[in-house]
């Protein structure tokens, strides 16, 4: 494995080095040209003559980007003193992402764990320590953060369809100034608008996983071509069984988006609305054979590529939630449907105003309303590896305080007897309700102080709320196989019958934990002011800015108690349940912190530039931090980077190197001896690269990847854990590799375009390599390395038809993205681990008509 790691690292470094050396040689021979003038705001009529997405490309340094800067009309990539990755609608389709999170790996250094389904992915930003979710990723729509404060649902608020014009992704750099001040990654999805010429498309897609999808878009002028008003409408609807078929629709729903734009004498105004209603299966950790460190294979009866705990047998459940205190009574509760999965039922309404006056003043305003529900109904892992049914019953009887030697009866829900020797697993079925509301506005006012210098004053204000309740305290006893049946267990001593589970296979732990049931409401205000300056001096472009960010969070969390829900000692499954009581605590937080950035870009010639940047960002406590860690520190992130960009007819290269320092990262570990709270830091250095080479006509090879060397720091205490030999150990996390982040990852895509008399055909293959990672902070859970191969073909037939065939993971590679996140330390037992793999092979075909 070490040899392969060295080889992959050297291969990536060699490829980057070869490209840069060749680029430098070509640059020496290139004729000198005058630098291209900075972009100017285009006349309204010219702005609306948009080419189709198929004609546009992001592989050019002349492309104008609007994310991460305050320049009127945006700036060219070659002038930006930070790393920015763009992808057009056509390029997004060619990437064939399995989810929105999966698309973000187009930005070098981003590693999405694309194994949990359409939503709910963990997204790692190289050098940013985070253990779950995506706290260092902000999803934006037309420049506005979809929700001001990070939460686990933020990636579920976005779906990809033909209403997206392009993605602009910025890592670090200037992102600390704008929007919600994200120090990690801003993923800005920019909508397509109407144009002076009516255009549109409609497409039908069929997938090998039982997917049927309809996409459409139509853009048009309103009141004639010269009115200056334009509209668009589009969206999608689809239904899919999923690569992991739960015996009901894994994904079902759609999205509708509309825009209204108007050209003004000195700018433009745009309004947009989006309605999302979509349900997606969320996939938790599954049993996988783990014969050796970093080695994985299929568990008997459960394919890690296609298996799921979802089934018709466990789809509909009733949760007991509140005690009734009378013998023989029925506790109050809630009925859930696992087919609801994790998804969104939200509405968005936004508006952008951009004005640029001849006097040197310019104004920009971005407004966004968001309201709806982001609910989750899914299984989550308990952290316990599978065991035989007989062993489970013995352990359960002991944990509930029942005597040994009683007669056990185990049946499936339909009454059939269960096999005491079959392997079983325990999973947490959870219902998580989140009702969200937010209104945010970002206002910028800029003035050209003198030739080449522009000063910008800005304010970002957001008022938002979240109602959050969880019914997460129950366990379900299931067969350890794909589409399992629940198992109902009773014990008898000849006189009394003790119900270990209810009639659905559900039971409460004998030792309740405080997280098993809770209800909380939050309301918050974020206010930030910033000042930024941009100064063009010859070939130099200097920029800098400072931001002051303030969060005010107030709310309440309902307290809990534990006890018997039905006053029946024989129903032991609910004798020690956790439930909500009429008592509350009211945590709050008021924090203020500054951010700043300084950068310089030098344009060597009109196709080559270099830049350097230093910035400090902050990450303020979230709702969960305020509730559970009232003294949670403000995380501080120092980032230093240098970059080089080069473009010629045969090559495009964007390479950057960075060093990132983290301080004040809070983390809690649940150990058998109790909870341990850590505060630590990290030190990371790395290299990001996006390179496309065109050695001859119609052929290209694209390389996108990164090298990351990150380690924990600033925590010298000894942390207890269970070692691989089962012994209790203690170690410091200092010097340990950042968990869940690969040191090396890259994607290599050769592509060939075949012109024909009736159109063209483009063929491509992508090889993806993800290096070894660890699932924990003390390197006891090696996740191994993996590779996968995807393929694609696009045929443009005449002026109107586009036929697309795409396939992902066609070699059915097992690729572990997540280990047993519930355990700290060694997680494999008897050669088995709970972990999550990428999805298995999938093909889809789309026929689209453009008009």
């Amino acid at each position: 494995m070490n040899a392969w790691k060295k080889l992959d690292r050297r291969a990536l470094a060699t490829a980057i080095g070869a490209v840069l050396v060749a680029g430098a040689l070509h640059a020496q021979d290139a004729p000198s040209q005058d630098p291209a003038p900075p972009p100017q705001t285009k006349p309204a009529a010219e702005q609306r003559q948009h080419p189709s997405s198929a004609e546009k490309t992001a592989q050019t340094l002349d492309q104008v980007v609007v994310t991460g800067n305050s320049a009127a009309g945006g700036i060219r990539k070659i002038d930006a003193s930070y790393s920015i990755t763009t992808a057009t609608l056509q390029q997004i389709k060619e990437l064939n992402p399995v989810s929105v999170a999966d698309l973000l790996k187009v930005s070098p250094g981003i590693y999405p764990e694309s194994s949990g389904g359409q939503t709910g992915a963990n997204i790692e930003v190289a050098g940013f320590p985070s253990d779950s979710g995506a706290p260092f990723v902000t999803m934006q729509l037309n420049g506005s953060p979809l929700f001001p404060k990070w939460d686990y649902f933020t990636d579920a608020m976005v779906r990809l369809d033909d209403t997206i014009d392009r993605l602009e992704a910025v890592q670090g750099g200037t992102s600390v100034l704008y929007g919600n001040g994200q120090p990690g990654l801003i993923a800005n999805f920019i909508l397509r608008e109407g144009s002076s010429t009516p255009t549109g498309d409609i497409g039908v897609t069929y997938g090998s996983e039982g997917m049927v999808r309809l996409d459409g878009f139509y853009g048009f002028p309103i009141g004639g071509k010269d009115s200056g008003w334009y509209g668009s409408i589009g969206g999608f609807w689809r239904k899919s069984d999923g690569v992991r078929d739960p015996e009901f629709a894994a994904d079902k729903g759609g999205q509708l988006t509309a825009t209204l734009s108007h050209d003004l004498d000195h700018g433009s105004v745009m309004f947009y609305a989006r309605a999302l209603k979509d349900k997606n299966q969320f996939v938790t950790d599954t049993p996988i054979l783990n014969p050796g460190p970093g080695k994985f294979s299929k568990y008997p009866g459960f394919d890690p590529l296609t298996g799921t705990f979802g089934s018709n047998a466990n789809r509909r459940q009733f949760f007991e939630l509140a005690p009734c205190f009378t013998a023989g009574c029925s506790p109050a509760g809630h009925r859930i449907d696992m087919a609801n999965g994790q998804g969104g039922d939200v509405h968005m309404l936004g508006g952008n105003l951009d004005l640029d006056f001849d006097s040197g003043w310019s104004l920009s305003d971005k407004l966004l309303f968001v309201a709806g529900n982001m609910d989750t109904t899914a299984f989550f892992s308990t952290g316990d590896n599978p065991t035989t049914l007989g062993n489970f019953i013995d352990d359960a009887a002991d944990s509930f305080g029942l005597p040994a030697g009683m007669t056990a009866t185990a049946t499936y829900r339909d009454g059939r007897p269960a096999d005491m020797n079959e392997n079983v697993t325990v999973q947490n079925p959870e219902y998580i309700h989140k009702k969200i509301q937010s209104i945010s506005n970002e206002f910028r006012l800029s003035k050209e102080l003198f030739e080449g210098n522009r000063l910008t004053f800005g304010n970002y204000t957001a008022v938002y709320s979240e109602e959050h309740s969880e019914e997460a305290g129950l366990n379900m006893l299931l067969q350890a196989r794909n589409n399992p049946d629940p198992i109902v267990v009773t014990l008898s001593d000849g006189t009394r019958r003790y119900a270990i589970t209810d009639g659905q296979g559900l039971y409460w732990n004998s030792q309740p934990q405080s997280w098993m049931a809770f209800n909380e409401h939050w309301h918050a205000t974020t206010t930030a002011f910033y000042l930024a300056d941009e100064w063009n001096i010859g070939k130099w472009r200097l920029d800098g800015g400072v931001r002051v960010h303030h969060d005010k969070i107030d709310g309440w969390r309902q307290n809990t108690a534990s006890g018997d829900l039905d006053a029946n000692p024989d129903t032991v499954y609910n004798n020690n349940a956790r439930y909500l009581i009429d008592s509350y605590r009211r945590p709050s937080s008021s924090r203020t912190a500054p951010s700043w950035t300084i950068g310089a870009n030098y344009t060597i010639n009109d196709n080559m530039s270099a830049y350097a940047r230093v910035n400090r960002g902050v990450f303020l406590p979230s709702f969960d931090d305020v509730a559970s860690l009232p003294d949670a520190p403000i995380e501080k992130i120092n980032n230093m980077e240098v970059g080089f960009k080069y473009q010629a007819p045969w090559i495009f290269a964007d390479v950057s190197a960075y060093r990132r320092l983290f301080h004040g990262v809070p983390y809690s570990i649940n150990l058998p001896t109790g909870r341990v709270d850590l505060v630590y830091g990290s030190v990371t250095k790395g290299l990001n690269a996006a390179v496309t080479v065109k050695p001859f006509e119609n052929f290209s090879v694209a390389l996108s990847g990164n090298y990351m060397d990150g380690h924990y720091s600033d925590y010298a205490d000894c942390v207890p854990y269970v070692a691989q030999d089962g012994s209790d150990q203690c170690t410091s996390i200092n010097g340990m590799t950042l968990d869940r982040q690969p040191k090396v990852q890259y994607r290599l895509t050769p592509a060939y375009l075949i012109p024909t008399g009736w159109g063209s055909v483009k063929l491509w293959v992508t090889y993806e390599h993800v290096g070894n990672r660890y699932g924990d902070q003390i390197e006891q859970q090696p996740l191994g390395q993996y590779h996968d191969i995807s393929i694609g073909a696009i045929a443009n037939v005449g002026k109107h038809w586009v036929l697309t065939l795409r396939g992902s993971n066609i070699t059915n590679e097992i690729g572990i993205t997540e280990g047993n996140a519930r355990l700290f330390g060694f997680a494999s037992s008897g050669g088995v681990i709970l972990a999550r793999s990428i999805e298995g092979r999938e093909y889809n075909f789309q026929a689209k008509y453009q008009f």
Side-chain angles (χ1 to χ4, degrees), residues 148-149 176-182 460 464 525-530 546-552 591-595 618-620 634:
K149 180 68 69 175
V176 300
L177 293 183
Y178 307 114
N180 62 348
Q182 173 61 256
Y460 174 79
Y464 47 106
T525 301
T526 292
T527 305
F529 294 93
Y530 55 84
V546 62
R547 171 190 174 108
V548 178
H549 182 113
H550 177 73
D551 276 357
K552 180 69 171 67
R591 303 289 188 95
T592 301
S595 300
V618 294
F619 186 83
L620 277 67
I634 295 175

Side-chain angles (χ1 to χ4, degrees), residues 185-217:
L185 174 76
I186 291 177
N188 186 15
F189 295 89
I190 298 173
L191 295 174
R192 292 172 72 183
E193 301 178 39
S195 60
S196 57
T197 302
T199 57
D201 53 69
I202 185 169
V204 178
T205 306
Y206 295 93
S208 59
E209 75 280 21
M211 185 258 286
V212 178
R213 174 171 171 141
L214 177 67
D215 285 270
F217 174 83

